[in-house]
Amino acid sequence: MESSEAPGAHDPITENMYTGSEHSFPGDLIDSSDLSSTDREQIARLMNSLARLREAERPLSDASRKFMKLSEPDMRALHYLIAAKRQNAVVTPKMLSIHMAMSAASVTKLINRLEREGHVIRKLHPSDRRAYAIEVTEQTARSARETVGRAQARRIYAAAQLSSSERDAVIRFLDGMTDELSLRNADWATQT
């Protein structure tokens, strides 16, 4: 029987992935000499909190995929379609291809598989008779909502406990981290 606790919950290494000695924080990759030891400790706690968030998300995502009998790309596509449905937006195969960063042929195979399994339907595009739109089925949207959607929605409680200025700080931090992690900052990732 598997533990219901997050992986590494009592493992001191996992709990402190970003904590190191004063001379190694956060490794030899960046210069942190202008930071005080208090700042380094607080930044390490922040990075460790993000690592724990990722570790908490992983089993939830795995359980959802297992419950719905879907792959990770299938779940990403359905998440996009569910978001589009909430926004009353029409999704074309090209839009899904761009979102998924997949070729048109691969997206066609994905759509065919999801349609065959009853997760999506194709409809005529409302404004372009030469194209078609893809929609998530009501049953799949309901199933996703009642499983992973309900669990993911609980994040709102943590955000609601913050003041408006604290939420602004978190938004700035997450947007900044997203920008720093962008592949445009990783020359090695574009080398062939």
Side-chain angles (χ1 to χ4, degrees), residues 63-102:
S64 177
R65 283 195 312 270
K66 185 177 177 182
F67 175 79
M68 295 185 73
K69 298 176 179 74
L70 296 167
S71 69
E72 192 275 333
D74 295 344
M75 290 294 285
R76 280 188 56 225
L78 290 175
H79 183 245
Y80 183 74
L81 293 169
I82 290 168
K85 186 177 194 131
R86 269 196 325 267
Q87 298 171 33
N88 294 317
V90 175
V91 176
T92 64
K94 182 176 182 175
M95 291 168 66
L96 192 56
S97 176
I98 292 168
H99 172 73
M100 300 290 293
M102 294 171 72

Side-chain angles (χ1 to χ4, degrees), residues 7-190:
H10 299 291
D11 173 357
I13 295 171
T14 302
E15 286 292 308
N16 296 290
M17 294 294 280
Y18 293 92
T19 305
S21 71
E22 183 175 326
H23 302 293
S24 68
F25 175 82
D28 59 353
L29 301 176
I30 65 166
D31 179 12
S32 63
S33 60
D34 60 335
L35 297 173
S36 71
S37 62
T38 301
D39 287 340
R40 286 193 295 273
E41 289 171 15
Q42 187 179 36
I43 291 169
R45 286 195 318 270
L46 177 60
M47 295 297 112
N48 287 330
S49 290
L50 282 172
R52 286 190 299 276
L53 173 61
R54 286 191 303 270
E55 288 300 315
E57 287 176 326
R58 188 174 295 124
L60 177 63
S61 179
D62 291 347
S64 177
R65 283 195 312 270
K66 185 177 177 182
F67 175 79
M68 295 185 73
K69 298 176 179 74
L70 296 167
S71 69
E72 192 275 333
D74 295 344
M75 290 294 285
R76 280 188 56 225
L78 290 175
H79 183 245
Y80 183 74
L81 293 169
I82 290 168
K85 186 177 194 131
R86 269 196 325 267
Q87 298 171 33
N88 294 317
V90 175
V91 176
T92 64
K94 182 176 182 175
M95 291 168 66
L96 192 56
S97 176
I98 292 168
H99 172 73
M100 300 290 293
M102 294 171 72
S103 69
S106 294
V107 165
T108 297
K109 287 179 185 177
L110 179 128
I111 293 168
N112 289 344
R113 183 176 60 255
L114 291 174
E115 186 177 42
R116 194 171 44 251
E117 294 171 3
H119 296 295
V120 301
I121 55 174
R122 296 176 213 229
K123 292 184 170 183
L124 284 177
H125 193 284
S127 61
D128 182 356
R129 293 299 204 186
R130 297 168 295 159
Y132 66 92
I134 310 145
E135 288 184 11
V136 65
T137 63
E138 288 297 329
Q139 180 180 354
T140 294
R142 187 173 42 255
S143 180
R145 178 180 167 79
E146 292 303 316
T147 56
V148 72
R150 188 171 298 283
Q152 295 279 8
R154 288 196 297 265
R155 296 178 195 207
I156 300 298
Y157 297 135
Q161 292 175 14
L162 301 175
S163 70
S164 177
S165 62
E166 288 171 326
R167 285 191 293 270
D168 283 339
V170 172
I171 291 165
R172 264 192 332 274
F173 166 70
L174 292 174
D175 288 347
M177 182 168 279
T178 299
D179 186 55
E180 292 296 333
L181 290 175
S182 168
L183 285 180
R184 72 176 169 272
N185 294 323
D187 295 337
W188 57 266
T190 57

